[in-house]
């Protein structure tokens, strides 16, 4: 099993864990969250996880809210460690799949690619559907 962390600006990470828990129940109980709030510095959390990652061989999978944001920028520096994998663009599909995949052991680079592709496939847009098209659902 890998250690999973949801990291975000504001309380999105806590909400994501709550939402994932609604679907998978106690399987998400060990997911950790990091919420960057006004006045806090993501470098502090980076230093904390860096210390823990260096002292452990356990894989740490971090899902960040937005690529290039301060949370992702700080935590992505952890990816130089072999036991840390950092994702950006956290969404419900990615979060669910990452939690489930982590239960089976370490997440490989191939697994990571599959997780990203599945998250992308889960994104759609619908507009201007007629009532006839609605009946196809």
């Amino acid at each position: 099993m890998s250690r999973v962390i949801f990291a975000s600006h504001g309380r999105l990470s806590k909400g994501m864990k709550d939402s994932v828990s609604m679907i998978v129940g106690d399987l998400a109980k060990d997911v950790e969250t990091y919420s960057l709030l006004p006045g806090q510095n993501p470098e502090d959390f980076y230093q904390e996880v860096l210390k823990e990652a260096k002292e452990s061989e356990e894989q740490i999978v971090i899902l960040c809210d937005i690529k290039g944001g301060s949370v992702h920028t700080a935590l992505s520096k952890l990816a130089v460690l072999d036991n840390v994998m950092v994702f950006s663009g956290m969404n419900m599909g990615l979060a669910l799949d990452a939690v489930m995949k982590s239960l089976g052991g370490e997440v490989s680079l191939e697994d990571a690619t599959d997780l990203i592709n599945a998250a992308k496939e889960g994104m759609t847009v619908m507009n201007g559907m007629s009532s006839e098209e609605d009946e196809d659902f």
Side-chain angles (χ1 to χ4, degrees):
M1 185 169 144
S2 298
R3 179 176 164 195
V4 178
I5 300 172
F6 296 163
S8 69
H9 295 82
R11 292 182 177 84
L12 175 65
S13 60
K14 292 182 187 308
M16 187 65 72
K17 180 179 177 177
D18 289 344
S19 296
V20 168
S21 294
M22 286 182 67
I23 296 172
V24 300
D26 283 346
L27 296 178
K29 72 181 183 317
D30 293 327
V31 172
E32 299 170 44
T33 62
Y34 168 68
S35 299
L36 179 66
L37 300 175
Q40 293 180 326
N41 186 335
E43 288 294 320
D44 295 337
F45 188 66
Y46 160 76
Q47 290 295 331
E48 179 183 326
V49 178
L50 176 64
K51 182 177 186 252
E52 294 169 4
K54 284 183 171 181
E55 294 174 356
S56 172
E57 291 184 21
E58 178 182 38
Q59 184 185 45
I60 301 173
V61 176
I62 303 171
L63 277 63
C64 297
D65 56 356
I66 187 166
K67 181 181 178 181
S70 57
V71 172
H72 178 255
T73 299
L75 299 181
S76 65
K77 295 184 294 186
L78 295 165
V80 299
L81 301 172
D82 290 336
N83 62 329
V84 178
M85 186 175 288
V86 182
F87 291 82
S88 63
M90 177 174 60
N91 63 38
M92 186 69 160
L94 178 60
L96 280 167
D97 288 347
V99 168
M100 298 306 291
K101 182 62 76 177
S102 73
L103 294 173
E106 287 195 4
V107 177
S108 69
L109 287 177
E110 183 179 335
D111 293 335
T113 300
D114 291 344
L115 291 171
I116 294 292
N117 288 333
K120 287 178 182 178
E121 288 174 16
M123 298 175 71
T124 63
V125 63
M126 295 180 182
N127 182 267
M129 294 175 57
S130 70
S131 59
E132 290 178 25
E133 290 171 325
D134 291 342
E135 292 175 10
D136 290 340
F137 281 107

